[in-house]
Short mmCIF file of all heavy atoms in Angstrom, two decimals:
data_model
loop_
_atom_site.label_atom_id
_atom_site.label_comp_id
_atom_site.label_asym_id
_atom_site.label_seq_id
_atom_site.Cartn_x
_atom_site.Cartn_y
_atom_site.Cartn_z
N MET A 1 0.84 -1.21 0.06
CA MET A 1 0.05 -0.02 0.01
C MET A 1 0.93 1.20 -0.04
O MET A 1 1.93 1.32 0.66
CB MET A 1 -0.87 -0.10 1.25
CG MET A 1 -1.79 1.22 1.32
SD MET A 1 -3.20 1.19 2.22
CE MET A 1 -4.20 -0.10 1.55
N ASN A 2 0.42 2.23 -0.73
CA ASN A 2 1.20 3.53 -0.94
C ASN A 2 0.90 4.27 0.42
O ASN A 2 -0.06 4.68 0.73
CB ASN A 2 0.67 4.24 -2.06
CG ASN A 2 1.61 5.34 -2.43
OD1 ASN A 2 2.17 5.97 -1.47
ND2 ASN A 2 1.61 5.70 -3.53
N PRO A 3 2.04 4.55 1.22
CA PRO A 3 1.88 5.41 2.46
C PRO A 3 1.41 6.81 2.16
O PRO A 3 0.89 7.41 3.08
CB PRO A 3 3.24 5.27 3.04
CG PRO A 3 4.23 5.06 1.98
CD PRO A 3 3.40 4.24 0.92
N ASP A 4 1.53 7.28 0.99
CA ASP A 4 1.02 8.72 0.64
C ASP A 4 -0.39 8.80 0.73
O ASP A 4 -0.92 9.92 0.81
CB ASP A 4 1.60 9.12 -0.70
CG ASP A 4 3.09 9.28 -0.78
OD1 ASP A 4 3.73 9.53 0.33
OD2 ASP A 4 3.68 9.07 -1.75
N LEU A 5 -1.16 7.70 0.55
CA LEU A 5 -2.62 7.70 0.56
C LEU A 5 -3.16 7.91 1.92
O LEU A 5 -4.31 8.08 2.12
CB LEU A 5 -3.21 6.53 -0.13
CG LEU A 5 -2.88 6.41 -1.65
CD1 LEU A 5 -3.54 5.15 -2.22
CD2 LEU A 5 -3.38 7.67 -2.41
N ASP A 6 -2.36 7.39 2.92
CA ASP A 6 -2.74 7.52 4.41
C ASP A 6 -4.08 6.84 4.54
O ASP A 6 -5.00 7.46 5.21
CB ASP A 6 -2.77 8.95 4.90
CG ASP A 6 -2.83 9.07 6.33
OD1 ASP A 6 -2.34 8.15 7.11
OD2 ASP A 6 -3.36 10.01 6.85
N THR A 7 -4.21 5.65 4.06
CA THR A 7 -5.50 4.96 4.32
C THR A 7 -5.41 3.99 5.54
O THR A 7 -4.51 3.10 5.44
CB THR A 7 -5.91 4.16 3.05
OG1 THR A 7 -5.95 5.10 1.93
CG2 THR A 7 -7.20 3.44 3.14
N GLU A 8 -6.30 4.05 6.41
CA GLU A 8 -6.35 3.14 7.52
C GLU A 8 -7.60 2.39 7.51
O GLU A 8 -8.68 2.96 7.40
CB GLU A 8 -6.25 3.95 8.82
CG GLU A 8 -4.89 4.74 9.01
CD GLU A 8 -4.94 5.50 10.25
OE1 GLU A 8 -5.81 5.26 11.18
OE2 GLU A 8 -4.00 6.34 10.44
N PHE A 9 -7.52 1.13 7.54
CA PHE A 9 -8.70 0.24 7.58
C PHE A 9 -9.05 -0.02 9.05
O PHE A 9 -8.28 -0.54 9.78
CB PHE A 9 -8.46 -1.14 6.83
CG PHE A 9 -8.16 -0.87 5.35
CD1 PHE A 9 -6.87 -0.87 4.81
CD2 PHE A 9 -9.22 -0.65 4.59
CE1 PHE A 9 -6.69 -0.68 3.41
CE2 PHE A 9 -9.03 -0.36 3.19
CZ PHE A 9 -7.78 -0.45 2.69
N ASP A 10 -10.30 0.25 9.34
CA ASP A 10 -10.69 0.21 10.68
C ASP A 10 -10.83 -1.20 11.24
O ASP A 10 -10.69 -1.50 12.40
CB ASP A 10 -12.13 0.84 10.86
CG ASP A 10 -12.07 2.35 10.42
OD1 ASP A 10 -11.06 2.96 10.66
OD2 ASP A 10 -13.10 2.88 9.94
N ARG A 11 -11.12 -2.21 10.39
CA ARG A 11 -11.25 -3.57 10.81
C ARG A 11 -10.19 -4.47 10.33
O ARG A 11 -10.42 -5.64 10.20
CB ARG A 11 -12.76 -4.05 10.29
CG ARG A 11 -13.82 -3.20 10.88
CD ARG A 11 -15.19 -3.63 10.28
NE ARG A 11 -15.14 -3.26 8.85
CZ ARG A 11 -15.97 -3.67 7.92
NH1 ARG A 11 -16.82 -4.75 8.24
NH2 ARG A 11 -16.01 -3.26 6.59
N GLY A 12 -9.04 -3.96 10.05
CA GLY A 12 -7.96 -4.83 9.53
C GLY A 12 -8.14 -5.09 8.10
O GLY A 12 -8.64 -4.51 7.28
N LEU A 13 -7.76 -6.45 7.82
CA LEU A 13 -7.83 -6.85 6.32
C LEU A 13 -9.26 -7.31 6.14
O LEU A 13 -9.75 -8.28 6.76
CB LEU A 13 -6.93 -8.01 6.10
CG LEU A 13 -5.37 -7.65 6.20
CD1 LEU A 13 -4.59 -8.91 6.08
CD2 LEU A 13 -5.05 -6.65 5.10
N VAL A 14 -9.87 -6.54 5.22
CA VAL A 14 -11.25 -6.91 4.89
C VAL A 14 -11.55 -6.93 3.40
O VAL A 14 -10.74 -6.35 2.66
CB VAL A 14 -12.30 -5.78 5.57
CG1 VAL A 14 -12.36 -5.92 7.05
CG2 VAL A 14 -11.91 -4.46 5.03
N LYS A 15 -12.50 -7.72 3.00
CA LYS A 15 -12.74 -7.76 1.49
C LYS A 15 -13.33 -6.52 0.92
O LYS A 15 -13.09 -6.14 -0.19
CB LYS A 15 -13.59 -9.03 1.28
CG LYS A 15 -13.79 -9.28 -0.22
CD LYS A 15 -14.44 -10.58 -0.46
CE LYS A 15 -14.63 -10.85 -1.96
NZ LYS A 15 -15.36 -12.03 -2.10
N CYS A 16 -14.17 -5.86 1.71
CA CYS A 16 -14.91 -4.66 1.26
C CYS A 16 -14.77 -3.61 2.21
O CYS A 16 -15.00 -3.81 3.46
CB CYS A 16 -16.33 -5.02 1.05
SG CYS A 16 -17.32 -3.72 0.37
N GLN A 17 -14.46 -2.47 1.92
CA GLN A 17 -14.23 -1.31 2.87
C GLN A 17 -15.08 -0.22 2.32
O GLN A 17 -15.12 0.16 1.16
CB GLN A 17 -12.81 -0.91 2.87
CG GLN A 17 -12.52 0.28 3.80
CD GLN A 17 -12.61 -0.08 5.22
OE1 GLN A 17 -12.41 -1.15 5.71
NE2 GLN A 17 -13.01 0.82 6.00
N VAL A 18 -15.83 0.47 3.12
CA VAL A 18 -16.65 1.62 2.82
C VAL A 18 -15.92 2.87 3.33
O VAL A 18 -15.46 2.96 4.46
CB VAL A 18 -18.05 1.53 3.43
CG1 VAL A 18 -18.88 2.81 3.25
CG2 VAL A 18 -18.86 0.24 2.99
N PHE A 19 -15.77 3.73 2.35
CA PHE A 19 -15.03 5.10 2.72
C PHE A 19 -16.01 6.12 2.84
O PHE A 19 -17.04 6.18 2.20
CB PHE A 19 -14.07 5.38 1.59
CG PHE A 19 -12.94 4.49 1.43
CD1 PHE A 19 -12.84 3.65 0.24
CD2 PHE A 19 -11.90 4.37 2.32
CE1 PHE A 19 -11.78 2.83 -0.04
CE2 PHE A 19 -10.90 3.48 2.14
CZ PHE A 19 -10.89 2.74 0.94
N SER A 20 -15.64 7.20 3.71
CA SER A 20 -16.41 8.30 3.80
C SER A 20 -16.30 9.15 2.49
O SER A 20 -15.34 8.86 1.69
CB SER A 20 -15.93 9.22 4.97
OG SER A 20 -14.70 9.74 4.62
N GLU A 21 -17.24 10.06 2.28
CA GLU A 21 -17.22 10.82 1.01
C GLU A 21 -16.01 11.65 0.99
O GLU A 21 -15.40 11.83 -0.12
CB GLU A 21 -18.43 11.75 0.95
CG GLU A 21 -18.56 12.43 -0.33
CD GLU A 21 -19.88 13.14 -0.65
OE1 GLU A 21 -20.86 12.87 0.16
OE2 GLU A 21 -19.83 14.07 -1.37
N THR A 22 -15.44 12.10 2.06
CA THR A 22 -14.16 12.93 2.15
C THR A 22 -13.06 12.03 1.72
O THR A 22 -12.25 12.50 0.92
CB THR A 22 -13.93 13.55 3.57
OG1 THR A 22 -15.15 14.21 4.05
CG2 THR A 22 -12.72 14.26 3.65
N LYS A 23 -12.95 10.89 2.29
CA LYS A 23 -11.78 9.98 1.92
C LYS A 23 -11.98 9.56 0.44
O LYS A 23 -10.97 9.35 -0.33
CB LYS A 23 -11.70 8.82 2.81
CG LYS A 23 -10.44 7.93 2.65
CD LYS A 23 -10.36 6.89 3.75
CE LYS A 23 -9.60 7.56 4.91
NZ LYS A 23 -9.27 6.62 5.91
N GLU A 24 -13.15 9.29 0.05
CA GLU A 24 -13.46 8.78 -1.29
C GLU A 24 -12.99 9.84 -2.37
O GLU A 24 -12.30 9.46 -3.35
CB GLU A 24 -14.93 8.54 -1.59
CG GLU A 24 -15.26 8.05 -2.95
CD GLU A 24 -16.77 7.73 -3.13
OE1 GLU A 24 -17.30 7.30 -2.16
OE2 GLU A 24 -17.26 8.12 -4.06
N ASN A 25 -13.10 11.18 -2.08
CA ASN A 25 -12.71 12.17 -2.88
C ASN A 25 -11.19 12.46 -2.82
O ASN A 25 -10.58 12.87 -3.71
CB ASN A 25 -13.39 13.45 -2.67
CG ASN A 25 -14.90 13.38 -3.00
OD1 ASN A 25 -15.36 12.69 -3.91
ND2 ASN A 25 -15.77 14.07 -2.19
N ALA A 26 -10.58 12.12 -1.59
CA ALA A 26 -9.17 12.30 -1.34
C ALA A 26 -8.30 11.23 -2.04
O ALA A 26 -7.12 11.54 -2.60
CB ALA A 26 -8.90 12.32 0.07
N ILE A 27 -8.81 9.97 -2.26
CA ILE A 27 -7.92 8.95 -2.85
C ILE A 27 -7.44 9.25 -4.16
O ILE A 27 -6.29 9.03 -4.42
CB ILE A 27 -8.66 7.65 -2.78
CG1 ILE A 27 -8.76 7.14 -1.23
CG2 ILE A 27 -8.05 6.57 -3.55
CD1 ILE A 27 -9.61 6.05 -0.98
N PRO A 28 -8.31 9.69 -5.12
CA PRO A 28 -7.76 9.93 -6.51
C PRO A 28 -6.94 11.19 -6.59
O PRO A 28 -6.22 11.42 -7.62
CB PRO A 28 -9.17 10.21 -7.25
CG PRO A 28 -10.18 9.71 -6.51
CD PRO A 28 -9.78 9.83 -4.97
N GLN A 29 -6.78 12.02 -5.48
CA GLN A 29 -5.85 13.18 -5.58
C GLN A 29 -4.42 12.85 -5.75
O GLN A 29 -3.67 13.52 -6.43
CB GLN A 29 -6.11 14.04 -4.43
CG GLN A 29 -7.48 14.79 -4.32
CD GLN A 29 -7.63 15.54 -3.12
OE1 GLN A 29 -6.78 15.71 -2.40
NE2 GLN A 29 -8.82 16.06 -2.87
N PHE A 30 -3.98 11.68 -5.20
CA PHE A 30 -2.65 11.31 -5.37
C PHE A 30 -2.24 11.03 -6.89
O PHE A 30 -1.29 11.66 -7.39
CB PHE A 30 -2.26 10.12 -4.50
CG PHE A 30 -0.94 9.52 -4.64
CD1 PHE A 30 0.14 10.34 -3.96
CD2 PHE A 30 -0.53 8.49 -5.33
CE1 PHE A 30 1.48 9.93 -4.22
CE2 PHE A 30 0.77 8.07 -5.55
CZ PHE A 30 1.80 8.84 -4.93
N PRO A 31 -3.01 10.10 -7.55
CA PRO A 31 -2.66 9.95 -9.00
C PRO A 31 -2.86 11.14 -9.80
O PRO A 31 -2.18 11.37 -10.72
CB PRO A 31 -3.45 8.70 -9.37
CG PRO A 31 -4.54 8.58 -8.35
CD PRO A 31 -4.00 9.17 -7.09
N ASN A 32 -3.85 11.97 -9.42
CA ASN A 32 -4.11 13.23 -10.17
C ASN A 32 -2.89 14.18 -10.07
O ASN A 32 -2.51 14.78 -11.03
CB ASN A 32 -5.31 13.97 -9.75
CG ASN A 32 -6.60 13.28 -10.18
OD1 ASN A 32 -6.56 12.73 -11.36
ND2 ASN A 32 -7.67 13.35 -9.55
N ALA A 33 -2.28 14.27 -8.89
CA ALA A 33 -1.15 15.05 -8.72
C ALA A 33 0.05 14.60 -9.49
O ALA A 33 0.79 15.33 -10.07
CB ALA A 33 -0.81 15.21 -7.16
N LYS A 34 0.27 13.24 -9.49
CA LYS A 34 1.45 12.67 -10.14
C LYS A 34 1.09 12.80 -11.66
O LYS A 34 2.06 12.92 -12.34
CB LYS A 34 1.62 11.20 -9.80
CG LYS A 34 2.11 11.00 -8.37
CD LYS A 34 3.48 11.47 -8.34
CE LYS A 34 4.07 11.07 -7.00
NZ LYS A 34 5.40 11.42 -6.80
N ALA A 35 -0.12 12.65 -12.11
CA ALA A 35 -0.38 12.76 -13.53
C ALA A 35 -0.23 14.20 -14.15
O ALA A 35 0.24 14.36 -15.21
CB ALA A 35 -1.90 12.39 -13.84
N SER A 36 -0.45 15.14 -13.18
CA SER A 36 -0.13 16.51 -13.60
C SER A 36 1.32 16.74 -13.83
O SER A 36 1.71 17.79 -14.50
CB SER A 36 -0.72 17.45 -12.56
OG SER A 36 0.01 17.49 -11.42
N GLU A 37 2.13 15.93 -13.29
CA GLU A 37 3.70 15.97 -13.47
C GLU A 37 4.07 15.39 -14.88
O GLU A 37 5.23 15.32 -15.17
CB GLU A 37 4.37 15.37 -12.37
CG GLU A 37 4.23 16.03 -11.03
CD GLU A 37 4.78 15.27 -9.95
OE1 GLU A 37 5.41 14.20 -10.14
OE2 GLU A 37 4.54 15.58 -8.71
N GLY A 38 3.11 14.81 -15.58
CA GLY A 38 3.34 14.19 -16.84
C GLY A 38 3.59 12.71 -16.78
O GLY A 38 4.08 12.13 -17.86
N ASN A 39 3.26 12.07 -15.72
CA ASN A 39 3.49 10.56 -15.65
C ASN A 39 2.22 9.78 -16.34
O ASN A 39 1.12 9.91 -15.77
CB ASN A 39 3.62 10.26 -14.19
CG ASN A 39 4.07 8.72 -13.99
OD1 ASN A 39 3.65 7.90 -14.59
ND2 ASN A 39 5.06 8.60 -13.13
N ALA A 40 2.49 9.14 -17.32
CA ALA A 40 1.35 8.48 -18.05
C ALA A 40 0.76 7.36 -17.20
O ALA A 40 -0.55 7.20 -17.29
CB ALA A 40 1.94 7.99 -19.42
N ALA A 41 1.49 6.62 -16.45
CA ALA A 41 0.91 5.58 -15.67
C ALA A 41 -0.17 6.12 -14.70
O ALA A 41 -1.18 5.54 -14.43
CB ALA A 41 1.93 4.70 -14.95
N TYR A 42 0.35 7.20 -14.02
CA TYR A 42 -0.62 7.90 -12.98
C TYR A 42 -1.86 8.47 -13.76
O TYR A 42 -2.88 8.59 -13.18
CB TYR A 42 0.11 8.83 -12.18
CG TYR A 42 0.94 8.26 -11.08
CD1 TYR A 42 2.29 8.08 -11.15
CD2 TYR A 42 0.40 7.70 -9.95
CE1 TYR A 42 3.12 7.55 -10.19
CE2 TYR A 42 1.10 7.11 -8.95
CZ TYR A 42 2.52 6.97 -8.99
OH TYR A 42 3.27 6.38 -8.11
N GLN A 43 -1.60 8.94 -14.90
CA GLN A 43 -2.78 9.52 -15.66
C GLN A 43 -3.82 8.38 -15.93
O GLN A 43 -5.01 8.67 -15.80
CB GLN A 43 -2.35 10.07 -16.94
CG GLN A 43 -3.52 10.69 -17.79
CD GLN A 43 -4.24 11.77 -17.02
OE1 GLN A 43 -3.54 12.77 -16.57
NE2 GLN A 43 -5.49 11.68 -16.75
N LYS A 44 -3.39 7.23 -16.32
CA LYS A 44 -4.26 6.06 -16.50
C LYS A 44 -4.96 5.74 -15.19
O LYS A 44 -6.17 5.43 -15.18
CB LYS A 44 -3.51 4.81 -17.05
CG LYS A 44 -3.14 4.95 -18.48
CD LYS A 44 -2.46 3.72 -18.96
CE LYS A 44 -1.97 3.85 -20.34
NZ LYS A 44 -1.31 2.65 -20.94
N ALA A 45 -4.19 5.68 -14.06
CA ALA A 45 -4.81 5.44 -12.82
C ALA A 45 -5.90 6.44 -12.39
O ALA A 45 -6.95 6.11 -11.86
CB ALA A 45 -3.77 5.28 -11.71
N ALA A 46 -5.54 7.68 -12.69
CA ALA A 46 -6.48 8.72 -12.31
C ALA A 46 -7.78 8.56 -13.21
O ALA A 46 -8.89 8.82 -12.74
CB ALA A 46 -5.88 10.14 -12.59
N ASP A 47 -7.57 8.28 -14.45
CA ASP A 47 -8.77 8.17 -15.35
C ASP A 47 -9.51 6.89 -14.93
O ASP A 47 -10.86 6.97 -14.96
CB ASP A 47 -8.31 7.87 -16.77
CG ASP A 47 -7.63 9.02 -17.45
OD1 ASP A 47 -7.78 10.17 -16.93
OD2 ASP A 47 -7.00 8.86 -18.47
N LEU A 48 -8.91 5.81 -14.41
CA LEU A 48 -9.63 4.67 -13.98
C LEU A 48 -10.51 4.94 -12.70
O LEU A 48 -11.61 4.62 -12.59
CB LEU A 48 -8.67 3.54 -13.66
CG LEU A 48 -9.23 2.22 -13.03
CD1 LEU A 48 -10.30 1.60 -13.98
CD2 LEU A 48 -8.16 1.21 -12.70
N PHE A 49 -9.87 5.82 -11.75
CA PHE A 49 -10.53 6.19 -10.60
C PHE A 49 -11.90 7.04 -10.96
O PHE A 49 -12.97 6.84 -10.47
CB PHE A 49 -9.75 7.08 -9.69
CG PHE A 49 -8.95 6.35 -8.73
CD1 PHE A 49 -7.49 6.49 -8.78
CD2 PHE A 49 -9.41 5.44 -7.78
CE1 PHE A 49 -6.74 5.85 -7.86
CE2 PHE A 49 -8.62 4.76 -6.90
CZ PHE A 49 -7.26 4.96 -6.91
N ASP A 50 -11.65 7.96 -11.87
CA ASP A 50 -12.80 8.75 -12.34
C ASP A 50 -13.96 7.80 -12.97
O ASP A 50 -15.11 8.00 -12.80
CB ASP A 50 -12.43 9.77 -13.39
CG ASP A 50 -11.60 10.88 -12.68
OD1 ASP A 50 -11.73 11.06 -11.47
OD2 ASP A 50 -10.84 11.62 -13.45
N TYR A 51 -13.45 6.97 -13.84
CA TYR A 51 -14.49 6.01 -14.61
C TYR A 51 -15.26 5.20 -13.53
O TYR A 51 -16.45 5.11 -13.59
CB TYR A 51 -13.66 5.09 -15.47
CG TYR A 51 -14.62 4.15 -16.29
CD1 TYR A 51 -15.30 4.68 -17.33
CD2 TYR A 51 -14.63 2.76 -15.99
CE1 TYR A 51 -16.18 3.83 -18.04
CE2 TYR A 51 -15.50 1.85 -16.66
CZ TYR A 51 -16.23 2.46 -17.71
OH TYR A 51 -17.08 1.64 -18.42
N LEU A 52 -14.56 4.61 -12.57
CA LEU A 52 -15.21 3.80 -11.54
C LEU A 52 -16.12 4.62 -10.75
O LEU A 52 -17.20 4.08 -10.42
CB LEU A 52 -14.07 3.09 -10.67
CG LEU A 52 -13.17 2.06 -11.21
CD1 LEU A 52 -12.15 1.59 -10.26
CD2 LEU A 52 -13.96 0.78 -11.80
N LYS A 53 -15.73 5.71 -10.30
CA LYS A 53 -16.58 6.49 -9.52
C LYS A 53 -17.91 6.93 -10.31
O LYS A 53 -19.00 7.02 -9.79
CB LYS A 53 -15.83 7.71 -8.91
CG LYS A 53 -16.60 8.58 -7.92
CD LYS A 53 -15.69 9.57 -7.34
CE LYS A 53 -16.59 10.50 -6.29
NZ LYS A 53 -15.86 11.48 -5.72
N ASN A 54 -17.62 7.53 -11.44
CA ASN A 54 -18.81 8.08 -12.27
C ASN A 54 -19.76 6.92 -12.76
O ASN A 54 -20.98 7.18 -12.82
CB ASN A 54 -18.24 8.85 -13.54
CG ASN A 54 -17.51 10.06 -13.08
OD1 ASN A 54 -17.79 10.60 -12.13
ND2 ASN A 54 -16.60 10.58 -13.91
N LYS A 55 -19.31 5.83 -13.00
CA LYS A 55 -20.08 4.73 -13.62
C LYS A 55 -20.63 3.85 -12.31
O LYS A 55 -21.52 3.10 -12.53
CB LYS A 55 -19.34 3.81 -14.51
CG LYS A 55 -19.02 4.53 -15.73
CD LYS A 55 -20.04 5.03 -16.51
CE LYS A 55 -19.60 5.66 -17.94
NZ LYS A 55 -20.75 6.10 -18.61
N GLY A 56 -20.11 3.91 -11.10
CA GLY A 56 -20.49 3.10 -10.02
C GLY A 56 -20.11 1.70 -10.23
O GLY A 56 -20.81 0.76 -9.73
N LEU A 57 -19.07 1.38 -10.96
CA LEU A 57 -18.59 -0.01 -11.15
C LEU A 57 -17.57 -0.43 -10.17
O LEU A 57 -16.84 0.31 -9.66
CB LEU A 57 -18.04 -0.14 -12.57
CG LEU A 57 -18.92 0.13 -13.64
CD1 LEU A 57 -18.18 0.17 -15.04
CD2 LEU A 57 -20.07 -0.83 -13.74
N ARG A 58 -17.46 -1.81 -10.13
CA ARG A 58 -16.37 -2.32 -9.34
C ARG A 58 -15.25 -2.62 -10.28
O ARG A 58 -15.41 -2.59 -11.54
CB ARG A 58 -16.68 -3.64 -8.68
CG ARG A 58 -17.77 -3.42 -7.53
CD ARG A 58 -18.14 -4.71 -6.98
NE ARG A 58 -19.15 -5.25 -7.91
CZ ARG A 58 -19.99 -6.27 -7.68
NH1 ARG A 58 -19.91 -6.92 -6.61
NH2 ARG A 58 -20.79 -6.65 -8.62
N LEU A 59 -13.99 -2.73 -9.85
CA LEU A 59 -12.83 -2.83 -10.75
C LEU A 59 -12.97 -3.98 -11.67
O LEU A 59 -12.80 -3.87 -12.89
CB LEU A 59 -11.61 -3.02 -9.94
CG LEU A 59 -10.31 -3.25 -10.73
CD1 LEU A 59 -10.10 -2.01 -11.71
CD2 LEU A 59 -9.15 -3.39 -9.84
N ILE A 60 -13.38 -5.16 -11.22
CA ILE A 60 -13.60 -6.35 -12.13
C ILE A 60 -14.64 -6.04 -13.24
O ILE A 60 -14.54 -6.52 -14.37
CB ILE A 60 -13.92 -7.64 -11.32
CG1 ILE A 60 -13.78 -8.86 -12.20
CG2 ILE A 60 -15.29 -7.55 -10.66
CD1 ILE A 60 -12.42 -9.10 -12.74
N GLU A 61 -15.74 -5.25 -12.93
CA GLU A 61 -16.70 -4.96 -13.88
C GLU A 61 -16.12 -4.03 -15.00
O GLU A 61 -16.32 -4.21 -16.14
CB GLU A 61 -17.87 -4.38 -13.22
CG GLU A 61 -18.73 -5.20 -12.33
CD GLU A 61 -19.65 -4.46 -11.49
OE1 GLU A 61 -19.54 -3.33 -11.16
OE2 GLU A 61 -20.62 -5.22 -11.07
N ALA A 62 -15.23 -3.13 -14.45
CA ALA A 62 -14.63 -2.12 -15.39
C ALA A 62 -13.67 -2.75 -16.43
O ALA A 62 -13.58 -2.50 -17.54
CB ALA A 62 -14.01 -1.04 -14.71
N ILE A 63 -12.99 -3.76 -15.84
CA ILE A 63 -11.96 -4.48 -16.66
C ILE A 63 -12.70 -5.25 -17.80
O ILE A 63 -12.19 -5.35 -18.89
CB ILE A 63 -11.21 -5.53 -15.79
CG1 ILE A 63 -10.19 -4.66 -14.82
CG2 ILE A 63 -10.45 -6.46 -16.60
CD1 ILE A 63 -9.54 -5.45 -13.79
N LEU A 64 -13.97 -5.78 -17.52
CA LEU A 64 -14.71 -6.60 -18.53
C LEU A 64 -15.26 -5.80 -19.60
O LEU A 64 -15.69 -6.24 -20.56
CB LEU A 64 -15.67 -7.46 -17.82
CG LEU A 64 -14.93 -8.44 -16.84
CD1 LEU A 64 -16.12 -9.21 -16.15
CD2 LEU A 64 -14.20 -9.52 -17.63
N VAL A 65 -15.34 -4.37 -19.45
CA VAL A 65 -15.98 -3.57 -20.39
C VAL A 65 -15.10 -3.43 -21.65
O VAL A 65 -13.99 -3.28 -21.55
CB VAL A 65 -16.21 -2.19 -19.85
CG1 VAL A 65 -16.67 -1.04 -20.87
CG2 VAL A 65 -17.26 -2.24 -18.66
N GLU A 66 -15.73 -3.66 -22.85
CA GLU A 66 -15.00 -3.56 -24.06
C GLU A 66 -15.03 -2.22 -24.70
O GLU A 66 -15.97 -1.46 -24.61
CB GLU A 66 -15.52 -4.61 -25.01
CG GLU A 66 -15.16 -6.05 -24.47
CD GLU A 66 -15.55 -7.05 -25.51
OE1 GLU A 66 -15.84 -6.66 -26.78
OE2 GLU A 66 -15.65 -8.18 -25.19
#
């Protein structure tokens, strides 16, 4: 896990974690900041975060979209 995201899981290792709206909005800020520096990999991650959030999809569902 990236320590820059400062994510703490309240119940230890869990399969599903619900984030507050504040934390949900803060998580994509890290790849967005790196993407603004011109890093293509972080731009893809930032785009994926936006896609998942806007469409309400889980990662596995987004991967299967053609």
